[in-house]
Amino acid sequence: MHAKRTISTASALEAPAPGASQAYQYAGLDGSPTAEAVLAEEVALAIAYNGISQAVMLVSPTDLEDFVVGFSLGSGIVASADEIYDFTLSGCGSSMQAEVEIASRAFWALKEHRRQLTGTTGCGLCGVEAVEQALPELAVLPGAPLPPAAWLDGLRQRIGAFQPLGQHSGAVHAALFMNDQGELLLGREDIGRHNALDKLIGALVRQNIALDGGVAVVTSRCSLELIQKALRAGLQTLVSLSSPTVLALQWARSHNLNLIHLPQHSAPRVYSPAMENRP
């Protein structure tokens, strides 16, 4: 798989500042002097598979190669990274395009279940026309041991080093990966919580990082689509800094995904597997 990025000359003047953010002035309601704040960038990324438009997602303009791979896997468009043959990124300013070449099997399956999706930062199921597509049949994970509690000690503080955009401007979510030694390896950020996880999945695939014994961490609330993306990627443990929804919990338990909530002021809460099923 090769990513080819093509940006027109005109976009050079409109390219986002380092860290996908720009500074803007604001004034206080009380008449206080103007000041400057750094705000996160977002762009519209249109994704087409084998020439057929599939989705328009609002994303942070960083790590877009990772996002294309992770979105394709996490959304079930391809079953494995081997079905992504090539892709090209192009665009200008706030409008970007991704042309993705996928295997014939994946493309025919996509056309059979094709739906128009309009991505937003709030809902990862926008545009799904049938309940069967929102609640697909996914493989049950083989199950993995829970991570040692020590791995999560001070995690909220440690992830700051992997959130440069969040530290700089706010308004973004992060997804991170911890290896089988409890070491944070990499993180990805985006205005969309599901986009951040897609980017992380894509980065893990593109860098051939082993998932065995590892832990994915999301800073956002944990709802169903994040569970589905983790299952499709083969991630065995998911830690969320915000509470899971009931449906997310039910899916995690029924699919052998370790689901842990890390509250801000209390100890980690293991929701899956069910405590009564633990030895």
Side-chain angles (χ1 to χ4, degrees):
M1 171 197 336
H2 302 284
K4 295 178 288 186
R5 179 185 284 264
T6 304
I7 306 296
S8 69
T9 304
S11 69
L13 298 177
E14 304 173 22
S21 62
Q22 289 194 37
Y24 287 87
Q25 288 191 334
Y26 66 91
L29 285 174
D30 58 0
S32 56
T34 59
E36 195 172 76
V38 176
L39 304 180
E41 293 270 4
E42 62 180 329
V43 300
L45 176 66
I47 305 176
Y49 292 93
N50 293 10
I52 304 297
S53 179
Q54 172 66 14
V56 179
M57 306 296 294
L58 294 174
V59 300
S60 299
T62 56
D63 304 303
L64 292 181
E65 292 88 352
D66 292 338
F67 175 72
V68 170
V69 174
F71 175 82
S72 302
L73 285 165
S75 300
I77 293 171
V78 297
S80 70
D82 293 340
E83 293 187 327
I84 303 176
Y85 292 161
D86 202 359
F87 61 91
T88 301
L89 287 169
S90 62
C92 176
S94 61
S95 178
M96 302 283 293
Q97 298 83 40
E99 297 286 343
V100 189
E101 181 185 353
I102 59 176
S104 297
R105 187 217 63 81
F107 183 54
W108 284 112
L110 176 62
K111 289 203 296 184
E112 183 178 350
H113 300 288
R114 189 168 181 268
R115 57 195 182 272
Q116 291 295 326
L117 295 175
T118 301
T120 72
T121 60
C123 170
L125 297 177
C126 298
V128 177
E129 296 174 351
V131 172
E132 291 79 7
Q133 292 175 331
L135 305 173
E137 292 287 338
L138 296 180
V140 175
L141 296 175
L146 290 167
W151 286 12
L152 305 187
D153 288 346
L155 180 60
R156 283 179 173 270
Q157 292 70 41
R158 286 186 283 136
I159 64 178
F162 294 85
Q163 296 179 278
L165 181 56
Q167 298 285 340
H168 196 51
S169 66
V172 294
H173 302 286
L176 307 95
F177 184 74
M178 181 183 293
N179 67 9
D180 59 0
Q181 301 300 309
E183 302 167 330
L184 287 172
L185 288 188
L186 77 163
R188 292 292 184 265
E189 297 178 280
D190 199 274
I191 55 170
R193 55 195 170 84
H194 46 290
N195 296 347
L197 184 56
D198 281 335
K199 287 182 177 180
L200 178 69
I201 292 170
L204 293 170
V205 169
R206 296 179 71 229
Q207 297 181 38
N208 295 314
I209 295 176
L211 303 184
D212 292 345
V215 175
V217 181
V218 293
T219 61
S220 63
R221 68 180 175 89
C222 184
S223 52
L224 176 61
E225 75 274 19
L226 298 190
I227 298 295
Q228 292 174 342
K229 290 178 184 296
L231 292 172
R232 288 181 173 121
L235 293 165
Q236 297 263 21
T237 300
L238 183 65
V239 174
S240 173
L241 301 195
S242 187
S243 299
T245 65
V246 170
L247 190 56
L249 166 59
Q250 292 172 344
W251 269 59
R253 287 185 175 178
S254 64
H255 290 78
N256 280 348
L257 173 70
N258 294 333
L259 178 59
I260 303 171
H261 172 212
L262 184 61
Q264 189 166 2
H265 300 297
S266 58
R269 300 173 181 177
V270 178
Y271 283 103
S272 176
M275 297 303 291
E276 59 266 23
N277 294 336
R278 295 180 64 192

